[in-house]
Amino acid sequence: MPYVVTRSCCADASCVLACPVNCIHPAPGEPGFGTTEMLYVDPRTCVDCGACTTACPVDALKPHTALGEAELPFLELNASYYKENAHADRAPMYVVPRQQRLPEGELTVAVVGAGPAGLFAADELLRHPGVRVTVYDRLPTPYGLARAGVAPDHQDTKRVTELFGAIESQAAFSYRLGVEVGADVTHADLLREHHAVIYAVGAATDKRLGIEGEDLPGSVSATDFVAWYNGHPDRAHDDHGLGCERAVVIGNGNVALDIARILTADPDALARTDISDRALAALRGSKVREVVLLGRRGPAQAAFTVPELLALGALKDVDVRVEGWPEGLASDATEKTRLLSELAGRAPVEGRRRIVLRFLTAPVRIVGDDSVRGLEVTDTTLGTDDDGTVRARPVGDTRTLETGLVLRSVGYRARPVPGLPFDEDTATVPHESGRVEPGVYVAGWIKRGPTGFIGTNKTCAHETVQSLLDDFAAGHLARPVSTVGTAGNALGLAAWRAIDRVERATGEAQGRPRVKLTDTESLHRAAARAVPAVRG
C-alpha cells in the first residue's frame, strides 16, 4: 500500500528526511529538486511505514487506499514520475546539515521579510548555536504569500504556517512587525545593529501587458485581486465589479487558475474558508458565469502545474473547457496535454459555471471609455527561435471578447531595495550564492526571481545562509555598534500570537479556520487588547 504525494505538496523535503527507505524524490542534491512541481513517492520501494505523513507540514501524503475520488490521479502521477526519472543513481539519504562552529561571540542577523523565504532563512540560521535572528516586516502579520497569496480554497497548503509557528517559537528568534525598512528604519540602521542583513522581500508588484486600455477601471492585476480576496491590508477594502457574465484572465499559471476557481466557486463553500468577508460578500452577488484564461502559446507550454490542473478537473459543478489546440500536437505528448485532452472531451452541462482554457490567443487592446467593456484579441501561431525557445506570433484578424473584468496574471515583479543594486531586466538583486557583499544577502524571489514553490525557498535559504556563515567565520562581518530605535513601535511575537488568537476565535464561532483582521488599526487594537505590551 504505497503512500502518495498529492497536490498540496509544499516540496520542503521534510518527508525526504523522515523516509527510512529513501523512496521520495527528487531529494535535496538531486537534479530537479526545487524546480519540479512536487515530490513523488516511488511505489516500488515504499514500505508503508507512514513516517512521511508525520513529517509533512501540509498533510500532502496519504496511503493510496485513503485517496478521495479527486485525488486518485495522483497515484498514477507519482508512479509515472519514476518511469521517466528512475533515480538509479540516487543521492545518499538526505541528512540535516551539521551545525557550524562559529567564532566566539554572538552572531546577530536581521531578516527583512516574514514570508516563507525569510522564515526559512531564520530557521537555517538558528540551527547554529550562538545566532540570534530578528525578522522585520512592514505588515503587522507574518507569513507573506502563505497568508495572503495561497488561495482560500487551498487550506491544506496553508498548513505550512504551522511549520513557521515552530520556527518563530525558537528562543533566539524575535519579530519586529509593522516596521517598514526604508521608511521606519534604513538599511544603514540595520547594518549598525546587526552583523548582517538578509533581504527576503519577495516580488510585490506584477508585470504589465503594455497594451492600450490597461489602466481602465475593471482592468486589474492578479496581484491586487488575490490580495483583495485574501484580506491583505493593502487591498482588502478595494471594490471589484463582478456584474459582468464573463471575466477574462490573461495568463495561465497557477495564480490564474486560483482566480478562476474563486470566481466560479460556490460562495457557501468559500464561507468555510478564511476568505476576506468583503470579497465573500461581493462573490455572493457576482454575476460572473464564465472565466476565460488566455494563453499566448499552446497547451504544452501552459504555465500551470499538473497538480493544479488535476485539482481544476476535479471541481464539482463547474465545467472546464479547452480551446485553441495547435495542429500537429499529440494529445498525449506530455502528462499535461493528456489531461487537457481529457478535459476537452468532456460534455458540457447546461447551467453550470465554466472555466475556459483558451490557448494560442493574445491580448491586443482593452476596450472601453470609462471602464472595461471588452478585450480585443488575436490568434497566434507558434514558432521556434534559434535557441529553441517557443514563441507565439500574432496571425489573422482581431475580435472582441465582451467582458467587464480583465485580470492580468503574467507574472510577479520585485521592486528595487533601497541601498542595494538592482537588475531591471530580471527584477532581482545581483548576488553570488545569495551574497550581495559581505554583510548583505538576499533570499527568495528578490534573489532568484518569482519561480519555484514554497519548499524551494528552503534550499534557496540554505545557500544564502551558508554564504553568510562563511563570511562570519572569515571575519568579514562588521560588529554591531548601535541599536535601532524601533522597539516602541514594533509588534513582536506576543503581539502576533494575540492577533492570531483573535482571528481564530472569531473563525471558530463561524465554523471557519479564522476571520482575518484586514486593516492596520484593527490588527494593532487586537494586539493591544490581548496583551499588556506588544513588544517581545
Side-chain angles (χ1 to χ4, degrees):
M1 185 178 71
Y3 276 71
V4 180
V5 180
T6 66
R7 67 171 175 83
S8 56
C9 177
C10 68
D12 84 330
S14 299
C15 57
V16 175
L17 176 62
C19 178
V21 294
N22 197 18
C23 76
I24 304 176
H25 297 270
E30 293 179 338
F33 182 78
T35 58
T36 54
E37 298 175 348
M38 53 188 275
L39 303 184
Y40 305 86
V41 174
D42 187 346
R44 300 166 301 175
T45 54
C46 176
V47 295
D48 188 26
C49 68
C52 55
T53 62
T54 303
C56 178
V58 295
D59 279 351
L61 282 136
K62 299 180 180 181
H64 84 269
T65 53
L67 297 176
E69 181 181 354
E71 296 169 322
L72 286 174
F74 286 95
L75 183 61
E76 174 57 27
L77 185 63
N78 278 249
S80 64
Y81 170 79
Y82 290 93
K83 296 175 184 176
E84 299 179 4
N85 305 273
H87 285 289
D89 54 345
R90 295 181 179 187
M93 191 178 301
Y94 179 56
V95 296
V96 176
R98 292 182 179 178
Q99 293 179 340
Q100 186 161 329
R101 183 179 298 275
L102 301 178
E104 291 295 325
E106 186 177 70
L107 169 62
T108 63
V109 181
V111 176
V112 182
L119 290 172
F120 279 132
D123 189 40
E124 288 289 332
L125 285 162
L126 293 171
R127 294 177 186 275
H128 307 279
V131 181
R132 295 192 64 83
V133 177
T134 302
V135 176
Y136 292 76
D137 201 284
R138 71 178 184 86
L139 294 178
T141 56
Y143 305 164
L145 288 180
R147 174 179 168 97
V150 175
D153 62 343
H154 277 3
Q155 289 297 309
D156 46 5
T157 305
K158 291 194 176 196
R159 288 195 59 181
V160 73
T161 59
E162 296 177 13
L163 176 61
F164 299 154
I167 293 170
E168 68 192 14
S169 296
Q170 297 177 72
F173 179 102
S174 62
Y175 274 132
R176 283 179 179 167
L177 302 173
V179 176
E180 185 173 0
V181 176
D184 301 314
V185 297
T186 66
H187 173 63
D189 291 333
L190 295 179
L191 284 175
R192 280 194 293 270
E193 184 178 18
H194 303 89
H195 289 90
V197 183
I198 298 176
Y199 285 90
V201 293
T205 61
D206 65 290
K207 294 180 180 178
R208 291 180 61 84
L209 299 169
I211 62 175
E212 183 182 342
E214 190 169 5
D215 295 318
L216 281 171
S219 171
V220 185
S221 76
T223 307
D224 289 351
F225 197 77
V226 169
W228 169 69
Y229 63 61
N230 270 319
H232 190 293
D234 288 353
R235 305 258 61 106
H237 301 285
D238 290 352
D239 288 309
H240 295 291
L242 304 180
C244 53
E245 290 195 359
R246 176 190 290 132
V248 180
V249 183
I250 301 171
N252 57 20
N254 286 348
V255 173
L257 264 59
D258 286 347
I259 291 171
R261 288 198 322 275
I262 297 302
L263 284 172
T264 56
D266 178 358
D268 288 340
L270 291 176
R272 297 190 291 271
T273 73
D274 62 349
I275 192 171
S276 155
D277 285 346
R278 188 181 184 91
L280 180 61
L283 289 165
R284 286 193 183 280
S286 171
K287 294 183 179 179
V288 174
R289 303 293 302 172
E290 177 182 87
V291 181
V292 180
L293 277 65
L294 299 184
R296 295 174 183 265
R297 299 187 295 171
Q301 293 81 36
F304 50 69
T305 60
V306 168
E308 288 302 316
L309 182 59
L310 282 168
L312 189 73
L315 293 178
K316 304 296 185 183
D317 302 322
V318 177
D319 276 341
V320 180
R321 299 171 60 182
V322 178
E323 299 176 354
W325 200 274
E327 290 185 13
L329 176 64
S331 61
D332 61 351
T334 64
E335 182 69 12
K336 188 176 292 182
T337 57
R338 185 188 68 77
L339 291 169
L340 285 168
S341 178
E342 181 183 303
L343 288 172
R346 292 183 183 180
V349 178
E350 187 68 28
R352 281 186 177 177
R353 290 180 174 142
R354 60 184 173 271
I355 296 171
V356 180
L357 304 176
R358 174 69 196 180
F359 298 100
L360 298 178
T361 306
V364 176
R365 180 171 67 100
I366 298 175
V367 180
D369 297 320
D370 299 324
S371 63
V372 172
R373 62 177 177 83
L375 175 66
E376 195 173 286
V377 300
T378 186
D379 292 338
T380 63
T381 186
L382 298 180
T384 305
D385 291 348
D386 292 339
D387 62 0
T389 302
V390 177
R391 302 284 185 187
R393 298 178 176 86
V395 293
D397 298 328
T398 62
R399 60 189 184 281
T400 300
L401 296 175
E402 291 186 8
T403 181
L405 180 62
V406 174
L407 298 129
R408 61 182 180 272
S409 183
V410 292
Y412 291 94
R413 182 177 172 84
R415 297 191 182 105
V417 178
L420 272 62
F422 190 72
D423 185 327
E424 288 288 347
D425 292 335
T426 63
T428 59
V429 171
H431 66 91
E432 182 178 345
S433 299
R435 180 191 296 106
V436 182
E437 60 183 37
V440 182
Y441 307 85
V442 286
W445 283 359
I446 191 66
K447 170 186 174 183
R448 67 180 191 273
T451 61
F453 310 95
I454 291 175
T456 309
N457 292 297
K458 195 169 186 176
T459 308
C460 175
H462 175 76
E463 179 188 60
T464 294
V465 167
Q466 190 59 55
S467 294
L468 187 158
L469 295 177
D470 288 346
D471 287 347
F472 185 56
H476 295 326
L477 305 185
R479 288 184 172 275
V481 296
S482 66
T483 299
V484 177
T486 60
N489 301 320
L491 302 182
L493 178 58
W496 157 234
R497 286 180 170 170
I499 293 167
D500 185 49
R501 286 194 298 270
V502 170
E503 291 185 339
R504 289 181 183 271
T506 307
E508 185 178 1
Q510 300 180 22
R512 304 169 64 182
R514 70 173 66 238
V515 174
K516 290 178 183 173
L517 301 173
T518 59
D519 63 88
T520 300
E521 183 179 345
S522 64
L523 287 161
H524 278 267
R525 190 164 55 244
R529 183 173 65 246
V531 291
V534 296
R535 295 178 293 173

